[in-house]
Amino acid sequence: VILDLHMPTLGGLVACTPIRQQPGGGAIRLVALSGSTDALDREAADLAGFDHFLAKPLMVGALLRVLPPAHAPKVQ
């Protein structure tokens, strides 16, 4: 799940905790996205429970590095 940290109403910093508290929430990969790259945003994302932090503009290569590898379907 990619969550923008500073969206109005329900930003990623607020949404992260309830996602983590759900059954199986610890297994969900959470990626924080922010237009700010300062240390405070990175620290807040870490404390909230995000697995990764990415800055805007989002670069495809950076996103691919934090996603799990894709698995090819089994052919029978």
Side-chain angles (χ1 to χ4, degrees):
V1 176
I2 301 169
L3 296 170
D4 192 304
L5 293 185
H6 300 292
M7 292 295 293
T9 310
L10 184 64
L13 289 172
V14 175
C16 184
T17 299
I19 291 171
R20 287 288 186 221
Q21 291 174 343
Q22 293 181 47
I28 296 172
R29 187 171 305 207
L30 294 176
V31 179
L33 182 64
S34 179
S36 170
T37 59
D38 68 27
L40 291 177
D41 268 356
R42 290 178 181 273
E43 184 178 337
D46 187 48
L47 290 172
F50 282 92
D51 297 301
H52 302 283
F53 180 95
L54 297 175
K56 293 178 189 177
L58 182 58
M59 305 303 263
V60 174
L63 179 60
L64 292 175
R65 282 190 290 278
V66 302
L67 293 178
H71 297 286
K74 293 182 181 179
V75 179
Q76 296 183 359

